[in-house]
Amino acid sequence: MKRQILSAVIVSCAAIGLVACGQEQAPVEEVAAPGAEEPTLLDRAVETAKDASDRVGAAATAAKDTATEAATSAMEQTEVVRARAETQAKEMIEQVKSFLAEDKEEMARELMDKLSAMKDSLSETLRAEIERLEAMFADA
């Protein structure tokens, strides 16, 4: 009797399986993603990553622009400081010459010490003038 019940269950299952095989099955895409217009989690993640990338690119561009502006400003300020130093050095050279002409050698020496200290930051022309004056003091 067990054998008959088991055989009946197997035949029933086979019959049900054959009937089920005859029905059309839904495509995998419809089963996996119902409502194709709805963005999937992957689509949302890709969109979020793209937005983040765009924001990072914009921030990088802004940072580069700010750095360029800062560098330009620093270069302009450096030029202003250099021009002031050149002007001051020219005035000091003229004062040294004036002090020498007036026999105020001590005042001329004090000014020459200051000129010698700033000589390396000046133009080649002013350096040559300062060296010429230093040679005059060395001969004296």
Side-chain angles (χ1 to χ4, degrees), residues 90-121:
K90 287 176 186 176
E91 291 172 358
M92 290 170 72
I93 288 170
E94 291 306 313
Q95 277 186 322
V96 168
K97 289 178 183 178
S98 175
F99 288 152
L100 289 175
E102 297 170 6
D103 283 334
K104 296 180 180 178
E105 189 175 323
E106 186 61 35
M107 294 174 84
R109 282 189 189 276
E110 287 177 17
L111 211 47
M112 276 306 299
D113 290 342
K114 292 177 184 178
L115 279 169
S116 295
M118 61 189 288
K119 177 173 65 173
D120 291 336
S121 64

Side-chain angles (χ1 to χ4, degrees), residues 19-114:
V19 171
C21 287
Q23 296 179 353
E24 286 189 36
Q25 294 183 354
V28 174
E29 294 84 20
E30 288 180 17
V31 173
E37 293 122 23
E38 229 179 87
T40 64
L41 183 60
L42 178 61
D43 292 339
R44 283 186 258 151
V46 167
E47 190 63 31
T48 302
K50 184 179 176 192
D51 289 345
S53 176
D54 291 346
R55 286 188 196 131
V56 168
T61 300
K64 183 185 109 196
D65 292 345
T66 301
T68 300
E69 289 172 9
T72 300
S73 177
M75 287 176 20
E76 289 170 355
Q77 289 176 353
T78 300
E79 184 59 31
V80 167
V81 169
R82 191 194 61 74
R84 283 185 193 154
E86 292 275 323
T87 301
Q88 184 180 15
K90 287 176 186 176
E91 291 172 358
M92 290 170 72
I93 288 170
E94 291 306 313
Q95 277 186 322
V96 168
K97 289 178 183 178
S98 175
F99 288 152
L100 289 175
E102 297 170 6
D103 283 334
K104 296 180 180 178
E105 189 175 323
E106 186 61 35
M107 294 174 84
R109 282 189 189 276
E110 287 177 17
L111 211 47
M112 276 306 299
D113 290 342
K114 292 177 184 178

